[in-house]
Amino acid sequence: MEEKCPICGATSKLQFLPYKIPYFGDAMMFIAVCPSCGHRSTDVMLLSGDRASRRRRYEVEISSVDDLNIRVVRSSFGSIEIPELGVNVEPRRGEGFISTVEGVLKRVEDAVRMLSRDVKGARKKRAEQVLMQIDDIKAGNASMKLIIDDPTGNSAIISDKAETRDGE
């Protein structure tokens, strides 16, 4: 299947890749890479019956190094919140992924590092604080809550520790 690149308008080939998530079920990954500008978009759709197609909110307390391995599925409709870091990641088309809590933290860390290059004063200090908090969480010296809310139900935190709430 083909689609137009949202950046340059060139035609990209959309690939569909089945993916089995351990202890959870089947998912479908959608990946498109523009051959002209290199823009990449991804999305995830859960194929496990009752889990998909309705709003779901997941929350999990990350309190140990082992918790960093908890599997995270985020569709391009899912928002991510980490209150302790003051982080809110709003949904964006083409930014779905399957990762771990550590992978989510790495994405946040990369974004904060990139943004901190162009700021000074209080903003620079705040960025440095967030990076130190992430280091403490990854070392198991601090805890955090990870929240994912998805109106399509195609995001998930896959852990017995995760609390799930269905929405309307």
Side-chain angles (χ1 to χ4, degrees):
M1 190 170 180
E2 295 181 343
E3 71 174 13
K4 273 194 166 196
C5 174
I7 305 300
C8 71
T11 301
S12 299
K13 193 177 204 179
L14 182 61
Q15 296 179 331
F16 301 87
L17 301 171
Y19 191 88
K20 186 143 189 101
I21 303 171
Y23 312 106
F24 188 72
D26 295 323
M28 184 67 69
M29 295 278 304
F30 303 92
I31 303 167
V33 179
C34 178
S36 179
C37 71
H39 174 73
R40 178 183 172 99
S41 64
T42 60
D43 206 350
V44 179
M45 179 184 290
L46 301 178
L47 303 175
S48 302
D50 70 328
R51 294 182 193 262
S53 74
R54 63 175 179 218
R55 178 177 290 278
R56 291 191 87 105
R57 179 181 173 93
Y58 292 84
E59 295 184 18
V60 66
E61 185 74 22
I62 305 304
S63 57
S64 73
V65 173
D66 289 339
D67 291 342
L68 297 174
N69 295 317
I70 291 173
R71 181 76 68 187
V72 176
V73 178
R74 179 200 178 210
S75 82
S76 62
F77 295 97
S79 64
I80 295 176
E81 182 181 355
I82 305 172
E84 294 79 3
L85 301 179
V87 170
N88 290 298
V89 181
E90 295 301 318
R92 288 184 57 188
R93 184 180 180 271
E95 290 191 359
F97 60 81
I98 298 174
S99 188
T100 60
V101 171
E102 185 171 19
V104 171
L105 285 173
K106 176 73 171 125
R107 288 169 184 265
V108 171
E109 186 176 34
D110 290 347
V112 171
R113 283 190 199 286
M114 184 180 74
L115 294 172
S116 71
R117 291 183 200 146
D118 300 326
V119 296
K120 295 183 183 217
R123 287 183 156 181
K124 183 82 162 178
K125 189 171 183 161
R126 177 64 184 132
E128 290 168 356
Q129 278 182 316
V130 169
L131 293 173
M132 286 177 21
Q133 284 178 279
I134 291 172
D135 286 343
D136 284 345
I137 292 165
K138 291 191 322 189
N141 298 325
S143 63
M144 66 171 231
K145 183 176 282 191
L146 177 64
I147 302 167
I148 297 183
D149 188 23
D150 188 335
T152 67
N154 281 309
S155 296
I157 298 174
I158 304 166
S159 169
D160 291 338
K161 289 181 64 171
E163 296 176 19
T164 307
R165 199 170 59 220
D166 289 341
E168 283 105 47

